[in-house]
Amino acid sequence: MNSQAVSEAAELIRNAQALVITAGAGMGVDSGLPDFRGDEGFWNAYPPYRRLGVSFIEMANPEHFSRDPEFGWGFYGHRLNLYRATQPHAGFGLLQEWIAQQALPYFVVTSNVDGQFQKAGFDWERVYEVHGSIHHLQCLRDCDGEIWGCREDLVVDEASMRAQEVPRCPDCGGVARPNILMFGDGAWNPSRSDEQAAGFERFLREVRDERLVIVEMGAGSSIPTIRHLTEQLAARPQSRAVRINPRESDIRSPHLSLEAGSLEALQAIFRQLAV
């Protein structure tokens, strides 16, 4: 990791008037969460799917909830239990410390569905989950357009990756599904994420004349939603971006690239801020 870039990143944060945190799957790696990078990464995390020859893209498909909901909920129930049990790594706390010390207005935008930012103590009204949340459900048939919190304790047989029971819609009794945008998903209810997006737009209007720093962590190029947002925000007047990624950290000057994992880079910046 380039020490000069770390120093410049610390200086940007020291002089920031507003902060946007953008995060992809790599943000959770330091907490012990899998990032499903390629088929091998997915199969290493979930060996039963290797035996079945099922890829992450094939598994993350809403059709399973219609055809075989116990199989669909085997994957998402296991992920839900994993996220519930996982403690956010120390980097989340460092970001909060910067925000508190400098009284920075902030917003988090993440493609992750794990709820780790909220679990770490970030204000839920300042988090935009662009792909939804595994901690929220919707009716498979979207019978009344409602989204509700997932309170079920899901038991999954890890040998077969099948759930013993599946969540049900409280109104019609039909199968419920995670309120997550999946691959080939034409039935996702985006209303909760749309409300978060509206809050983010209000925030951007409020800080449009401020020195905005965007800190991007763990956002890959295979699904570049977060990277594109970072670059769009970085094009605003007085905005600068810091891209943190161990493999795909390139970003155009004058923005900064840190080739490292999220926690390592955040700790390095924190040490420089303390100088």
Side-chain angles (χ1 to χ4, degrees), residues 25 29 33-61 64 71-79 82-83 134 158 160-161 183 247:
V29 170
L33 296 174
D35 67 358
F36 305 145
R37 183 178 173 84
D39 287 345
E40 284 298 324
F42 174 60
W43 288 334
N44 287 338
Y46 290 98
Y49 295 124
R50 183 193 296 271
R51 294 194 298 270
L52 295 171
V54 179
S55 70
F56 172 61
I57 292 176
E58 291 168 329
M59 195 63 240
N61 189 305
H64 295 297
F71 186 63
W73 268 110
F75 177 51
Y76 282 97
H78 188 278
R79 288 179 69 187
L82 176 64
Y83 297 153
I134 200 170
E158 295 192 14
S160 63
M161 291 305 295
F183 294 102
R247 291 178 293 265

Side-chain angles (χ1 to χ4, degrees), residues 51-128:
R51 294 194 298 270
L52 295 171
V54 179
S55 70
F56 172 61
I57 292 176
E58 291 168 329
M59 195 63 240
N61 189 305
E63 290 185 1
H64 295 297
F65 294 97
S66 300
R67 296 178 178 177
D68 189 349
E70 286 81 8
F71 186 63
W73 268 110
F75 177 51
Y76 282 97
H78 188 278
R79 288 179 69 187
L80 175 64
N81 293 336
L82 176 64
Y83 297 153
R84 283 173 170 172
T86 298
Q87 293 302 313
H89 63 73
F92 289 88
L94 295 179
L95 291 166
Q96 289 175 307
E97 193 165 336
W98 301 345
I99 290 165
Q101 286 178 349
Q102 298 179 225
L104 284 173
Y106 77 91
F107 220 98
V108 174
V109 184
T110 180
S111 58
N112 299 334
V113 301
D114 53 27
Q116 290 286 289
F117 279 98
Q118 293 94 326
K119 191 171 187 176
F122 285 81
D123 185 346
W124 65 271
E125 293 185 337
R126 293 183 175 273
V127 179
Y128 171 24

Side-chain angles (χ1 to χ4, degrees), residues 67-218:
R67 296 178 178 177
D68 189 349
E70 286 81 8
F71 186 63
W73 268 110
F75 177 51
Y76 282 97
H78 188 278
R79 288 179 69 187
L80 175 64
N81 293 336
L82 176 64
Y83 297 153
R84 283 173 170 172
T86 298
Q87 293 302 313
H89 63 73
F92 289 88
L94 295 179
L95 291 166
Q96 289 175 307
E97 193 165 336
W98 301 345
I99 290 165
Q101 286 178 349
Q102 298 179 225
L104 284 173
Y106 77 91
F107 220 98
V108 174
V109 184
T110 180
S111 58
N112 299 334
V113 301
D114 53 27
Q116 290 286 289
F117 279 98
Q118 293 94 326
K119 191 171 187 176
F122 285 81
D123 185 346
W124 65 271
E125 293 185 337
R126 293 183 175 273
V127 179
Y128 171 24
E129 296 157 301
V130 299
H131 293 161
S133 167
I134 200 170
H135 302 284
H136 290 80
L137 306 179
Q138 68 177 81
C139 179
L140 184 62
R141 296 181 293 184
D142 205 22
C143 65
D144 61 2
E146 291 297 318
I147 297 170
W148 65 95
C150 181
R151 299 177 181 84
E152 285 85 348
D153 292 322
L154 294 169
V155 178
V156 176
D157 177 1
E158 295 192 14
S160 63
M161 291 305 295
R162 298 182 67 84
Q164 292 186 4
E165 296 183 7
V166 302
R168 296 281 172 177
C169 173
D171 290 313
C172 73
V175 172
R177 53 160 282 182
N179 182 234
I180 292 173
L181 178 62
M182 304 178 200
F183 294 102
D185 195 347
W188 178 53
N189 182 342
S191 59
R192 179 175 175 274
S193 292
D194 287 347
E195 289 183 11
Q196 294 176 331
F200 181 50
E201 289 301 322
R202 287 193 296 272
F203 168 82
L204 291 179
R205 290 195 294 270
E206 291 167 2
V207 301
R208 62 181 177 273
D209 297 323
E210 308 292 351
R211 290 190 300 274
L212 177 67
V213 173
I214 307 102
V215 178
E216 176 195 286
M217 294 161 290

